[in-house]
């Protein structure tokens, strides 16, 4: 049993308990444990019972259930609960706007057991009479019921990542010697994905059954010989395609996409008398196979070097490849510093020492501690006095034992007020090692206001960088209306760095803006904006964004050794 499968059972127990209106502490205990297990980096099945018991939120009872799951594949308690309710009742919970309390009401008062039952009840107007329901909510539920037959919407790729990895792991176990890999938008590192695409080359037919019977599968949408689709826990659709081993490379290339890249590549093939599809690259005149076993072979036969998946968007990669001018893309290992993170001084969950120590363990050599400034009162932002006090504390940690060569810079994430003034006085900002400025309020300003606001902040001599410059939240909030061309122009002129923020729902600036900024002569930073030690790892998503933006290590300031990094900061250049 992998971690996600365990997490699913624990979460279902929590849901069933809530439908039963059980003790809220017990319900929360199952949910917390489910979260912990789902995100734990090690497989629980391989851990000792003592180590499992030491996990946060896993007490004796839960540890026993987990052990039972690992040993027998089921948990008696889970099965008992499922005896009390029809298992189909859990489908109701996946509808937007339907929580466990509503499900309990529906079941107890109207005898609703399935989505079809619910649909009839809604159509007949029987829902609105329930407590806390009303005609508006009834209409909403009806709409979600209609949407459910359509494809699920887009999701953050970071959210799909663990599920995809678990699926690939499961499939590899069931197809020794086969090549199993994620393809599609996930392989290209896109910020969102429509579904999880997996390719298996040279696997036995039986792999399809292993796929559709995977523990996380909630519904089989299509089951075929070479392609199947399922809906997995968490709301993702996953597609598996089987191809013969001889087409491994061709299929990897084809199903990785993007469509636009594939079309451009196919045109190139045609112009050379070749035909490209998911089975291989063939000569049009004789039908002979030219390449297909490896992806490199396909590109080579088309006169091109291998093109990294992140670049395959038909944004000039074929011309660059042809000219031998593909960038040597930045890698996670190139990073030496992380210049944006929070501690318990504002809204972070760990102290500066713990954050620095964790960053050191992850291989970094320097960090800037950048807690919020006072305008963010909800986050317990620092005023001038607290900021300087905090800076003294942060600096005092340098050279302490166990820091092992890690250097802390005393910084701040200073709010840019609606009129473009900074939240803290100049002499305070001047007394710090690093200032990253950002907008957190009044994001709906018009283009002129928002642009002027950022330009004014960039003109302040103590601003070294701008954090999450557009303020967008992926799938939730549009970027601000600022004219980013003018912002980049000013940033380049003043030597202010532009951040790629790695929070998985920000990735701000995005790939396209990052590339444009670099082309305008702006230096970039890739930062975690972590609020906990675990979130430091999100920086890998920022690196993926940087790679999709064609960035090389030299374009990103925090790949430089500490002294070179410090010398490149705007405050140290005049
Ligand atoms: P998504 O799922 O919306 O995040 O984006 P993709 O790129 O993963 O798209 P998807 O899942 O529809 O298809 C996966 C890949 O398969 C796609 O990137 C290219 C390839 N592909 C699928 N259908 C076609 C097609 O009709 N023509 C071509 N040339 N390629 C296709
Ligand atoms: Ca896809
Ligand atoms: Ca797909
Ligand atoms: Zn921040």
């Amino acid at each position: 049993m992998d971690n996600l499968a365990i997490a699913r059972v624990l979460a279902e127990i929590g849901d069933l308990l809530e439908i039963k209106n059980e003790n809220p502490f017990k319900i929360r205990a199952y949910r917390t444990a489910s979260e912990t297990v789902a995100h734990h980096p090690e497989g629980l099945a391989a851990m000792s019972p003592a180590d499992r018991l030491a996990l946060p939120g896993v007490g004796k009872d839960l540890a026993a259930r987990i052990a039972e799951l690992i040993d027998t594949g089921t948990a008696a308690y889970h099965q008992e609960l499922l005896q009390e309710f029809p298992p189909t009742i859990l489908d109701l919970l996946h509808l937007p706007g339907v929580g466990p309390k509503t499900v309990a009401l529906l079941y107890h008062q109207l005898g609703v057991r399935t989505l079809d039952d619910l649909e009839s009840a809604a159509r007949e107007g029987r829902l609105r009479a329930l407590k806390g329901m009303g005609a508006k909510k009834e209409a909403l539920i009806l709409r979600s019921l209609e949407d459910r037959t359509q494809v699920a919407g887009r999701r953050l790729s970071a959210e799909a990542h663990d599920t995809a990895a678990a699926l690939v792991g499961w499939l590899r176990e069931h197809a020794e010697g086969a090549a199993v890999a994620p393809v599609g938008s996930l392989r290209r590192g896109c910020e969102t994905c429509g579904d999880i695409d997996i390719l298996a080359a040279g696997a036995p037919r039986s792999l399809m059954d292993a796929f559709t019977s995977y523990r996380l599968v909630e519904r089989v949408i299509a089951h075929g010989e070479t392609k199947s689709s399922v809906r997995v826990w968490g709301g993702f659709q996953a597609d598996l395609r089987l191809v013969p081993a001889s087409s491994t490379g061709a299929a990897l290339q084809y199903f990785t996409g993007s469509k636009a890249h594939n079309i451009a590549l196919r045109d190139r093939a045609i112009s050379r008398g070749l035909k490209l599809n998911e089975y291989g690259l063939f000569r049009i005149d004789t039908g002979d196979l030219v390449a297909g076993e490896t992806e490199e072979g396909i590109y080579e036969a088309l006169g091109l070097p291998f093109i990294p998946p992140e670049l395959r968007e038909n944004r000039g990669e074929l011309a660059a490849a042809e000219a031998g001018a593909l960038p040597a893309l930045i890698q996670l290992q190139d990073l030496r510093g992380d210049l944006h993170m929070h501690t318990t001084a504002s809204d972070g969950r760990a102290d500066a020492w713990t954050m620095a120590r964790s960053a050191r363990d992850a291989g970094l050599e320097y960090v800037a501690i950048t807690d919020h400034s006072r305008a963010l009162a909800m986050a317990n932002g620092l005023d001038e006095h607290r900021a300087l006090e905090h800076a003294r504390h942060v600096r005092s940690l340098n050279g302490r034992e166990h820091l092992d060569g890690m250097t802390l810079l005393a910084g701040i994430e200073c709010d840019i007020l609606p009129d473009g003034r900074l939240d803290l006085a100049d002499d305070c900002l001047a007394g710090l090692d690093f200032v990253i400025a950002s907008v957190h309020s009044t994001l709906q300003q018009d283009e002129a206001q928002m642009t002027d606001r950022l330009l004014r902040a960039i003109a302040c001599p103590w601003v070294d960088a701008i954090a999450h410059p557009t303020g967008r939240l992926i799938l939730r909030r549009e970027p601000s209306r600022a004219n980013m061309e003018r912002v980049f122009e000013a940033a380049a002129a003043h030597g202010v760095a532009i951040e790629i923020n790695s929070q998985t729902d920000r990735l701000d600036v995005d790939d396209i803006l990052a590339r444009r900024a670099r082309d305008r002569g702006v230096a970039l930073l890739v930062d975690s904006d972590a609020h906990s030690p675990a979130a430091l790892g999100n920086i890998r998503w920022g690196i993926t964004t940087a790679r999709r933006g064609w960035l090389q290590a030299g374009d990103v300031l925090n790949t430089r050794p500490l002294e070179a990094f410090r010398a490149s900061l705007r405050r140290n250049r005049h």
Side-chain angles (χ1 to χ4, degrees):
M1 263 220 164
D2 60 47
N3 287 359
L4 283 178
I6 298 168
R8 180 190 177 185
V9 174
L10 298 178
E12 280 191 9
I13 293 177
D15 289 346
L16 289 160
L17 290 174
E18 190 161 17
I19 297 171
K20 276 187 69 168
N21 197 19
E22 281 257 6
N23 177 342
F25 293 105
K26 196 167 163 189
I27 297 166
R28 192 159 340 126
Y30 276 95
R31 294 212 169 123
T32 309
S34 171
E35 285 281 311
T36 303
V37 173
H39 297 117
H40 196 68
E42 262 172 278
L44 262 73
M47 284 167 64
S48 74
D51 285 347
R52 293 204 287 256
L53 198 55
L55 291 173
V58 176
K60 249 182 154 169
D61 289 354
L62 270 151
R65 300 246 189 273
I66 292 171
E68 187 189 356
L69 271 169
I70 290 168
D71 293 342
T72 69
T74 59
Y77 187 50
H78 181 229
Q79 296 303 320
E80 268 167 44
L81 288 166
L82 284 172
Q83 298 287 306
E84 286 181 54
F85 298 98
T88 49
I89 206 160
L90 290 168
D91 292 346
L92 306 182
L93 276 177
H94 297 318
L95 281 181
V98 179
K101 291 208 171 65
T102 312
V103 174
L105 271 180
L106 291 167
Y107 182 62
H108 293 303
Q109 312 241 340
L110 299 178
V112 167
R113 306 161 64 88
T114 65
L115 288 170
D116 289 339
D117 292 350
L118 182 61
E119 189 157 359
S120 318
R123 285 201 191 290
E124 290 157 19
R126 284 186 284 134
L127 298 188
R128 65 186 71 180
L130 290 178
K131 204 175 137 211
M133 192 58 91
K136 217 169 168 185
K137 190 142 183 223
E138 186 179 74
L140 231 124
I141 289 179
L142 207 52
R143 182 132 36 88
S144 330
L145 280 165
E146 280 156 7
D147 286 350
R148 104 192 117 110
T149 42
Q150 295 162 17
V151 279
R154 302 192 69 77
R155 299 279 298 272
L156 295 184
S157 292
E159 285 176 3
H161 181 265
D162 287 355
T163 304
L167 259 169
V168 167
W170 167 262
L171 293 171
R172 282 187 183 146
E173 270 177 41
H174 288 78
E176 263 181 56
V180 182
V183 287
S185 48
L186 277 185
R187 182 163 181 238
R188 302 199 309 280
C190 298
E191 59 195 33
T192 65
C193 65
D195 62 1
I196 296 170
D197 295 294
I198 298 173
L199 176 74
R205 286 268 165 82
S206 60
L207 192 64
M208 277 303 179
D209 300 325
F211 178 60
T212 53
S213 61
Y214 180 51
R215 284 175 191 281
L216 292 185
V217 168
E218 291 180 344
R219 188 148 50 90
V220 178
I221 299 165
H223 187 136
E225 298 240 303
T226 60
K227 181 185 173 188
S228 296
S229 296
V230 298
R231 189 187 156 93
V232 284
W233 184 56
F236 302 102
Q237 181 179 320
D239 291 350
L240 173 65
R241 288 186 184 77
L242 296 191
V243 298
S246 56
S247 323
T248 306
L252 262 178
Q253 198 290 312
Y254 182 89
F255 292 113
T256 295
S258 67
K259 242 171 234 182
H261 173 86
N262 285 359
I263 289 168
L265 199 64
R266 208 183 311 151
D267 287 348
R268 184 180 175 91
I270 290 168
S271 72
R272 302 180 160 226
L274 298 167
K275 188 179 92 172
L276 178 63
N277 59 33
E278 62 266 53
Y279 304 106
L281 184 65
F282 305 89
R283 283 186 52 171
I284 292 174
D285 51 2
T286 61
D288 287 346
L289 179 74
V290 178
E293 225 167 297
T294 67
E295 239 182 350
E296 285 83 356
I298 302 261
Y299 285 102
E300 196 189 328
L302 292 169
L304 299 171
F306 179 80
I307 299 179
E310 294 95 330
L311 300 186
R312 300 185 195 169
E313 299 290 349
N314 198 27
R315 293 178 187 157
E317 69 274 16
L318 291 189
E322 165 103 54
L326 283 175
L329 297 178
I330 185 172
Q331 294 180 293
L332 186 59
Q333 307 89 273
D334 292 328
L335 286 184
R336 292 171 188 260
D338 183 348
L339 287 306
H340 186 168
M341 65 188 64
H342 298 266
T343 73
T344 43
S346 62
D347 60 350
R349 272 188 257 144
D351 60 22
W353 193 85
T354 307
M355 293 300 282
R357 187 58 249 190
S358 305
R360 182 71 198 108
D361 291 342
L364 295 184
E365 296 163 20
Y366 54 94
V367 296
I369 301 297
T370 54
D371 278 297
H372 289 292
S373 64
R374 80 182 138 207
L376 227 54
M378 261 179 20
N380 190 26
L382 311 177
D383 60 15
E384 283 91 354
H385 178 73
R386 284 180 65 212
L388 291 172
E389 190 108 306
H390 188 42
R392 269 193 293 280
H393 165 67
V394 167
R395 286 173 179 146
S396 78
L397 297 174
N398 284 323
R400 217 166 101 175
E401 259 175 273
H402 310 303
L403 263 182
D404 199 13
M406 160 64 67
T407 301
L408 290 89
L409 302 178
I412 195 99
E413 178 179 12
C414 187
D415 256 61
I416 304 172
L417 303 175
D419 63 1
R421 275 179 310 132
L422 288 161
D423 188 24
L424 299 179
D426 276 7
D427 58 350
C428 170
L429 299 179
L432 301 171
D433 302 323
F434 176 75
V435 172
I436 191 161
S438 65
V439 165
H440 287 109
S441 62
T442 328
L443 282 145
Q444 63 287 355
Q445 284 174 327
D446 65 25
E447 179 177 330
Q449 283 173 322
M450 188 56 91
T451 307
D452 287 348
R453 183 178 182 181
L454 288 170
L455 294 187
R456 191 163 169 200
I458 287 169
C460 167
W462 304 110
V463 168
D464 298 299
I466 302 290
H468 45 75
T470 78
R472 68 135 175 198
L473 293 176
I474 302 173
L475 301 171
R476 286 192 290 145
R477 185 168 75 205
E478 290 297 310
S480 82
R481 297 193 188 87
N483 179 331
M484 295 308 286
E485 285 297 332
R486 292 188 54 207
V487 169
F488 294 158
E489 205 175 281
H494 286 94
V496 169
I498 290 288
E499 179 186 67
I500 296 177
N501 186 290
S502 302
Q503 286 193 9
T504 56
D505 59 348
R506 285 195 185 270
L507 301 178
D508 184 8
V509 290
D510 70 8
D511 49 1
I512 292 174
L513 286 175
R515 186 175 174 187
R516 197 175 300 156
R518 194 272 318 274
D519 290 346
R520 302 291 181 272
V522 176
L524 288 114
L525 288 172
V526 179
D527 291 329
S528 69
D529 195 1
H531 287 63
S532 68
L536 289 166
N538 283 341
I539 208 157
R540 54 176 297 211
W541 298 106
I543 288 291
T544 300
T545 303
R547 289 171 63 85
R548 287 179 55 79
W550 292 54
L551 299 192
Q552 314 197 65
D555 300 321
V556 175
L557 287 183
N558 48 325
T559 61
R560 301 187 182 178
L562 177 63
E563 284 321 310
F565 170 78
R566 292 200 72 160
S568 68
L569 288 180
R570 186 248 201 107
R571 68 179 52 230
N572 300 325
R573 295 205 323 200
H574 300 292

